[in-house]
Amino acid sequence: MKPAVFDYHAPAIVQEAVELLQRYGEDATVLAGGQSLVPLMNLRLSRPGHVVDLNGVPELDYLTVDGEGIVVGATTRQRTLERSDTVRDLCPLLWRAMPLVGHFQVRNRGTVGGSLAHADPASELPAVALVLQAEVGVVGPTGRRDVKAEDFFIDAYTTALDSAEIVEHVRFPSLPGGTGTAILEVARREGDFAMAGVAASLTLDPEGLCSSARLALFGVGPTPVRVIKAERILEGRAITEELVGEAAAMAVQDLDPSSDVHASAAYRKRVAGVLVRRAIAEALARATGEQT
Amino acid sequence: MRPRGQSASIGEPVKASADLRLITGRGVFVDDLHLPRMVHAAFLRSPHPHARILGIDAKNAATSPGVVAIRTGSDLNLRSKLMQVGETTEASAIDIEVLPSGKARMVGDPLAVVVAQDRYLAEDAMELIDVTYEPLSPVLDADVARASTDTLVHENLGSNVFSTAEGGYGDWDEAVASSDVVVRETFRQARCSPFPLEGRALVADWDPADAKLTVWSSSQWPHMFRQHLSDLLNIPLDHVRVVTQDVGGAFGLKANTFREDIAIALLAVELGRPVKWVEDRRENLMASAHARDHSIDLEIALKNDGVILGLRARIVDDMGAYGLYPWSPDSWGKLLAVSLPLPYKVPNYQWEVVTVVTNKAPESAYRAPGNAAGAWARESLLDIAARQLSLDPIDLRRRNLIARQDLPFSPLGGGAPIDAVTTEEALEQAAALIGYDDFRQEQQKALAEGRYLGVGFGIYIKAAGRPKSPATVGLSETGLESATVRMSATGAVQAFVGACSGGQGYETTFAQLVADEMGVPVDAVQIQMGDTDFPAESSGTWGSRSTVVVGATLVGAARDVSTQMIAVAAKMMEAPQEEVALEGGFFIAERAPSERLSVLDVARAAWEDSSLAPSTLGTGLSSTRHYEIPGPTYSNGCHAAVVEVDTETGKVSVLRYVAVEDCGPLINPMIANGQIRGAIAQAYGSVFLEEIVYSEDGLPLTTTLLDYLIPDAASMGDVIIKHLETPAPGSGRFKSLGEGPLVASAPAFACAVADALSPFDARLTRLPLKPDRLIEATGGD
Ligand SMILES: Cc1cc2nc3c(=O)[nH]c(=O)nc-3n(C[C@H](O)[C@H](O)[C@H](O)COP(=O)(O)OP(=O)(O)OC[C@H]3O[C@@H](n4cnc5c(N)ncnc54)[C@H](O)[C@@H]3O)c2cc1C
């Protein structure tokens, strides 16, 4: 479990990082927190000839409030979000997701940009990005572009990034008043990747009807999935237990998860439905202020 | 000297002396050893579970940067004796080559070894070795392997059945005939890993001038390892030295001598340079060894009132591809069989163990081998029987336990009488502490709210320090131990011990024993262990033996040195020996109490003034003793757990956990409780998390910690620990603790889950109890 030979580069600014990536093309890989990349390199499943380390690029490490939300630099540690009152107040779903990402030791190193770029199917952050309709700020040889979360995750471990592009930041909009959120998952142990999980947000109008529902499942397919058909069941209605059951059934109807050593496909599908039901109930309780 | 029994440190939570060093990262494990001119090895391993090796071409690899040597089986095998395992009457032997040359029999079989300037370069070169394989179909399932005649793992065995053994006592058929009910179930343990945090590791160095081989190893039995190196490599015993430094856990895995050990030693001899090999986690999970791949078909015959009349066990043990030197591969299945009835009075017992060869990694002992696996099956079956007979599961156990009035109890299967156990007290106290009396009400109330609570109990009796162990051959002397205690000229006491610590805290507990016996402070005692050049011999640290065996030996030697010191002090003070005593660190003669001599005064004088010699045979203050207590000690315990199962997600929460243990007088409660907590964590792992999985075509799927889940700190909740401290009969007093708690813990967890899911009539016969299996057992998908 020792990596194959590689050259190590430590750029000081984003521009330099992009140039290195352009120069070495497919043979180069970005290193952020290293929590996913380094094990893969040690197993020689990933064998980049050039490693471009972003940890020495200070301009990527920040957290700011911006109009209707927060903007997080790509190398900002997961732990920074977890400990931030700003994130708690403006983006509670993001804040709630953090403790579910590995263990605190992992979050001390793991980055927000890394979680999105790595696009692990069982990862929490991509699902949260979908629910919050985040925008991923990308920089590459031809300049900058913003990619909507819904367009960012293409397949397992595959994103819309080109080989010479890096994630520069991600913008998480805040949700309107009257919104409650929840994120639930089942994992073998605390800190493990989810066997199934769901991130949810519900917004109630002044009459108590659901004006907007967003549900994204993770760990049950190659990418996180927004289940719009299930959201539609809830929107415009007063949310009852029966309705929640209907939405949960709809949410998992088209799922086709896979089996692995941790859980069978059937289990994943079944438990995803349970989690959707519970997450809607929890988000609702928060939207109505019954629960904090 | 201090009157015996009036201890100063025994029973106190003396801080473990190694803690500061280990916690601050100053431990010295094998990988921390850096010798001049040292080179690093990596093993090329078979990617096929079963394949003929048609050729190994290392030409390209040989010119890779930094490569020192590349060797295959054809280079090494003739330079070592074959590692033969299995000499019991039922079994034929398997001859294990250093590196297999004809066939690979498991994924991970080591086919070549690369030695290079560093491990990175060794792995780079390894990728360039070209092996031509002819893949053969593998056998992976013990039942399939048993029946197979065309796919043989070892052709010389003539079948894939390594051995079939039978035993027991009484008359099972008679028991069935007189019984009211026979309950039967087949329990499937998960193949799991002994998983020490530090895997296998060694540095071997050959000194051509002295013709001496020194091996620094992460071993749990340095003296046995020395013997094996000497035997297999044909080097005289006095030219082999094995040293262990800090050992990062062992759990049975390191009481084996591996092919890789021999290969590294051979390379050190050949190259004349120190060679280091530290297995990585993938090698550890894939190719070191696994454990507990047992299927246990258990039948119990009872009367309606719950009295057990008989037990029958049919065990199939999947030993993997080889077995491990020097154990007979059927040892662990047989140990399971003979330990099954243990805490209960079972008048008739019949067992059969079929040990089967498959294309998987070999089977190792793993903490409480046999006992731990069997206890889960037995206690689960008792609960099933209790449900079927509508008896309270605790009552059923009460009715059958080896109880106080049965002591000393002669096990019907033979062996030393069981004495000084407190099974009933342990059970009653565990039941009280877990709140059993009110639990059924609590359970009913929860059920009414749709919550599923359950309680489970696990009970054990475990022998330790037995002179002969029943299921092993050759090196069965768990009683082989000698230790030397010496008072040095500096006033420090050095105690040389053969057993070595893999995290058990011997530096502290042994020092307490010596200190109290000699009346000196604990920190005046230095425990020296883990070097075969020390004046101590041992069969190692395994089978819960060390405290019982080493403890008794050390105490005897320490007592001798005390007596020698009194003799010297008496001479110095010109007083009769009977009138000299050690008090508060000073020797005082009755008739002139103001003339005192310090321990240091006496120690120095004894070493420097030959006229003060305590005996005509020698001058120093030193004694070597052997373990001389004839029989084993028996520890016992009872664990109880209350769990809640979320029947929608299969998630299990442990709400309460109680461990009542009787390991005799506690030497150090802090260290004892650490052993218990560690055992509970391992049991939790085996019940809920750990499973080595092979794909249908024989590829191991659990070769990283992403796939093979071990319990971590976050998995563990609070544990209430209660000690009964019944001394062992005879002079030893202390009993064992290393393995017993594991034996009781797994059934407590598993039976609690089964109890919680009893409204579903859930059959939980396969470990680990993963969420998907629990959902399936409740009738979900
Ligand atoms: C024990 C353990 C448990 C874990 N549990 C979870 C969990 O439950 N949930 C979860 O979501 N994650 C989990 N992780 C993964 C962890 O969150 C990783 O940190 C994360 O997935 C990747 O972030 P990183 O900063 O470490 O990226 P790295 O490992 O450095 O990189 C990962 C990949 O992303 C690319 N990359 C990184 N940053 C950028 C960027 N700015 N632009 C473009 N590409 C980039 C790299 O090139 C690489 O391909 C766990 C990890 C461990 C070790």
Side-chain angles (χ1 to χ4, degrees), chain B residues 503-527:
Chain B
Q504 294 91 342
Y506 298 152
E507 310 85 349
T508 309
T509 49
F510 290 168
Q512 287 179 259
L513 290 175
V514 172
D516 283 15
E517 190 60 39
M518 296 186 64
V520 299
V522 175
D523 57 13
V525 182
Q526 303 161 1
I527 300 297

Side-chain angles (χ1 to χ4, degrees), chain B residues 67-79:
Chain B
V67 170
V68 175
I70 300 177
R71 297 290 177 265
T72 63
S74 58
D75 304 312
L76 300 182
N77 290 343
L78 290 176
R79 293 171 47 207

Side-chain angles (χ1 to χ4, degrees), chain B residues 173-491:
Chain B
D173 294 327
E174 178 56 36
V176 172
S178 351
S179 71
D180 295 320
V181 51
V182 176
V183 183
R184 176 173 183 179
E185 187 55 272
T186 302
F187 297 93
R188 197 65 189 82
Q189 273 280 346
R191 175 172 271 255
C192 61
S193 162
F195 205 90
L197 279 186
E198 183 192 28
R200 299 175 295 164
L202 75 160
V203 174
D205 189 20
W206 172 253
D207 177 350
D210 291 344
K212 184 160 182 173
L213 178 69
T214 302
V215 177
W216 288 263
S217 164
S218 181
S219 177
Q220 67 188 95
W221 59 359
H223 295 80
M224 302 305 299
F225 189 32
R226 176 186 62 181
Q227 184 72 50
H228 301 154
L229 288 166
S230 167
D231 289 348
L232 293 167
L233 302 179
N234 206 12
I235 303 173
L237 205 50
D238 60 334
H239 284 242
V240 184
R241 177 183 173 206
V242 175
V243 183
T244 61
Q245 313 169 107
D246 287 314
V247 173
F251 307 118
L253 181 67
K254 296 171 182 176
N256 296 299
T257 292
F258 291 93
R259 299 179 280 182
E260 288 91 339
D261 296 329
I262 300 302
I264 297 300
L266 282 172
L267 280 159
V269 174
E270 178 190 338
L271 300 174
R273 298 179 71 169
V275 182
K276 177 189 275 187
W277 174 64
V278 177
E279 83 174 346
D280 61 32
R281 190 50 72 194
R282 187 168 45 165
E283 290 179 288
N284 172 253
L285 282 171
M286 172 173 78
S288 63
H290 299 148
R292 294 196 195 152
D293 198 344
H294 314 297
S295 146
I296 308 164
D297 173 359
L298 208 55
E299 283 170 276
I300 189 166
L302 308 112
K303 295 297 264 183
N304 277 332
D305 62 2
V307 169
I308 299 172
L309 297 184
L311 189 66
R312 176 157 77 169
R314 277 172 290 199
I315 296 156
V316 178
D317 181 28
D318 180 340
M319 62 170 264
Y322 290 101
L324 294 170
Y325 191 78
W327 303 97
S328 183
D330 50 7
S331 303
W332 317 120
K334 283 152 78 179
L335 204 51
L336 197 175
V338 297
S339 67
L340 257 176
L342 244 186
Y344 302 104
K345 288 172 286 191
V346 176
N348 301 286
Y349 179 39
Q350 184 183 323
W351 60 264
E352 177 195 79
V353 176
V354 183
T355 303
V356 183
V357 194
T358 61
N359 291 109
K360 297 191 274 191
E363 178 181 9
S364 169
Y366 171 29
R367 197 172 183 178
N371 292 260
W376 163 63
R378 178 191 66 227
E379 301 291 325
S380 296
L381 190 69
L382 288 180
D383 275 4
I384 295 170
R387 252 172 254 137
Q388 200 161 322
L389 292 169
S390 303
L391 290 173
D392 180 305
I394 301 295
D395 277 343
L396 189 146
R397 286 173 173 81
R398 280 187 189 117
R399 227 152 273 179
N400 294 289
L401 275 177
I402 296 170
R404 185 174 292 272
Q405 78 265 11
D406 303 313
L407 302 180
F409 181 85
S410 290
L412 294 167
I418 296 172
D419 205 354
V421 292
T422 49
T423 48
E424 295 157 293
E425 292 90 325
L427 174 61
E428 299 311 332
Q429 295 209 17
L433 288 167
I434 205 80
Y436 187 69
D437 278 351
D438 302 325
F439 176 76
R440 295 297 170 198
Q441 237 179 323
E442 181 186 347
Q443 187 178 33
Q444 282 311 316
K445 215 173 127 228
L447 194 58
E449 298 161 10
R451 296 168 52 225
Y452 294 83
L453 268 50
V455 66
F457 288 80
I459 299 178
Y460 81 91
I461 292 179
K462 177 89 178 63
R466 113 172 66 216
K468 285 258 183 231
S469 125
T472 59
V473 279
L475 49 100
S476 51
E477 284 77 28
T478 70
L480 165 62
E481 189 74 36
S482 57
T484 300
V485 175
R486 152 172 116 187
M487 171 64 81
S488 71
T490 63

Side-chain angles (χ1 to χ4, degrees), chain A:
Chain A
M1 287 173 81
K2 303 287 184 207
V5 177
F6 60 89
D7 285 339
Y8 172 81
H9 305 271
I13 55 168
V14 169
Q15 199 47 42
E16 203 185 333
V18 171
E19 279 165 25
L20 285 163
L21 292 176
Q22 200 178 6
R23 185 170 330 145
Y24 298 113
E26 298 284 344
D27 199 26
T29 296
V30 160
L31 172 70
Q35 298 301 293
S36 300
L37 180 61
V38 172
L40 288 170
M41 286 176 65
N42 283 346
L43 291 164
R44 299 196 175 200
L45 293 171
S46 170
R47 325 175 54 123
H50 297 268
V51 169
V52 179
D53 186 354
L54 296 184
N55 288 285
V57 183
E59 61 187 297
L60 289 175
D61 183 6
Y62 63 90
L63 170 66
T64 54
V65 180
D66 166 42
E68 313 93 78
I70 59 170
V71 182
V72 184
T75 62
T76 306
R77 308 292 158 178
Q78 294 151 354
R79 187 78 166 153
T80 307
L81 303 193
E82 179 181 358
R83 295 178 137 176
S84 158
D85 293 346
T86 310
V87 176
R88 187 195 58 203
D89 297 341
L90 296 182
C91 255
L93 179 62
L94 181 59
W95 182 74
R96 280 193 188 102
M98 282 306 122
L100 301 176
V101 179
H103 310 92
F104 69 83
Q105 295 92 332
V106 170
R107 300 194 292 273
N108 278 333
R109 304 274 331 151
T111 65
V112 174
S115 279
L116 297 174
H118 190 56
D120 190 299
S123 190
E124 293 82 2
L125 259 178
V128 169
L130 281 186
V131 166
L132 296 181
Q133 298 184 323
E135 275 183 349
V136 185
V138 169
V139 55
T142 56
R144 295 186 156 73
R145 64 186 178 115
D146 285 337
V147 184
K148 288 196 178 112
E150 59 187 272
D151 301 324
F152 190 74
F153 303 103
I154 309 284
D155 203 345
Y157 309 104
T158 309
T159 66
L161 286 178
D162 285 338
S163 72
E165 281 184 323
I166 63 171
V167 173
E168 193 174 39
H169 65 258
V170 54
R171 180 190 308 270
F172 294 101
S174 291
L175 294 167
T179 301
T181 60
I183 178 162
L184 296 179
E185 67 177 39
V186 284
R188 294 286 304 279
R189 294 171 308 185
E190 198 182 314
D192 283 333
F193 279 103
M195 294 183 282
V198 60
S201 94
L202 285 182
T203 307
L204 300 183
D205 67 16
E207 279 81 62
L209 302 183
C210 173
S211 58
S212 160
R214 285 185 225 143
L215 298 166
L217 298 166
F218 53 99
V220 287
T223 64
V225 271
R226 270 280 297 276
V227 278
I228 293 171
K229 279 197 251 174
E231 295 171 359
R232 295 253 163 82
I233 292 180
L234 302 170
E235 281 170 348
R237 312 243 212 128
I239 293 177
T240 59
E241 210 169 300
E242 201 188 340
L243 205 60
V244 173
E246 229 178 281
M250 179 60 82
V252 299
Q253 182 181 289
D254 299 328
L255 289 184
D256 186 18
S258 50
S259 295
D260 65 10
V261 294
H262 298 309
S264 66
Y267 171 83
R268 286 194 153 89
K269 188 162 178 167
R270 180 188 165 105
V271 91
V274 172
L275 293 177
V276 169
R277 203 187 74 221
R278 291 182 183 181
I280 296 172
E282 200 176 307
L284 182 66
R286 290 210 173 95
T288 57
E290 278 166 48
Q291 188 179 331
T292 50

